[in-house]
Amino acid sequence: MANLRRLAASKPVELDGWQVPEGALPPAKTVARALAQLDRGTPVLWCVPFLIVSPSRSTVLGACGFKTAPVNGSVEISYGIARTERGRGAANMALGQLLQRAASSGLVHDVVTHILPGNVASAKLVQRLGFSSEGLLIDADGERVMRWVWRVAVHHP
């Protein structure tokens, strides 16, 4: 919890023995949002960012997570990979795990992510993972983004 509070205040954190490239840790606003949700009783799974790591290299590659608990069966995810670590499959692996957690929760039927229109690599990644583009919108931060949705497969016996 101490490291979360330090990140939210844009202060350095101590991750014993781990290399942390610039841009690997979640932004202060993301962590501040998570702390506010924790204070309101949101379960950790649905609000605290996960670090994406390479244990063999003792390196933090990026972070990902759910932005809020599911609302009406929908949950939004976000992710970021340090620029020096991109293109090596870390985001693919991390998003795959988020999708699996969302699907297995029994609470989610749609997973949403918002991607800046110029971020071609992220658009290609989510497309490969089965997301569908649902058009442009202005997000909560006032940015023009493309809305992508992944629908949880429902299997009937």
Side-chain angles (χ1 to χ4, degrees), residues 105-150:
S105 74
L107 302 171
V108 175
H109 55 75
D110 288 339
V111 177
V112 175
T113 192
H114 295 149
I115 298 175
L116 294 170
N119 191 339
V120 176
S122 272
K124 285 181 178 179
L125 168 64
V126 298
Q127 213 168 11
R128 277 194 314 271
L129 289 170
F131 283 74
S132 299
S133 173
E134 292 199 343
L136 291 168
L137 60 90
I138 305 299
D139 71 5
D141 296 327
E143 293 188 273
R144 189 171 167 253
V145 294
M146 181 66 72
R147 175 183 165 90
W148 292 84
V149 178
W150 182 82

Side-chain angles (χ1 to χ4, degrees), residues 13-120:
V13 297
E14 181 54 46
L15 299 173
D16 294 329
W18 287 84
Q19 299 297 314
V20 183
E22 185 176 337
L25 296 175
K29 70 178 184 177
T30 298
V31 179
R33 180 184 64 233
L35 287 169
Q37 290 184 63
L38 284 172
D39 289 345
R40 291 191 302 269
T42 302
V44 170
L45 168 67
W46 300 115
C47 64
V48 174
F50 298 97
L51 294 183
I52 303 166
V53 299
S54 169
S56 65
R57 294 176 39 221
S58 298
T59 302
V60 177
L61 308 174
C64 67
F66 300 102
K67 292 179 85 171
T68 63
V71 176
N72 298 323
S74 183
V75 69
E76 185 176 349
I77 61 171
S78 64
Y79 58 95
I81 303 292
R83 187 171 304 281
T84 58
E85 301 297 331
R86 292 178 186 164
R88 300 179 193 181
N92 185 66
M93 179 270 312
L95 292 186
Q97 289 186 7
L98 287 179
L99 295 175
Q100 184 178 40
R101 286 177 185 217
S104 66
S105 74
L107 302 171
V108 175
H109 55 75
D110 288 339
V111 177
V112 175
T113 192
H114 295 149
I115 298 175
L116 294 170
N119 191 339
V120 176

Side-chain angles (χ1 to χ4, degrees), residues 3-13 26-29 31:
N3 271 339
L4 284 177
R5 296 201 187 288
R6 293 186 66 71
L7 280 172
S10 296
K11 293 182 179 174
V13 297
K29 70 178 184 177
V31 179

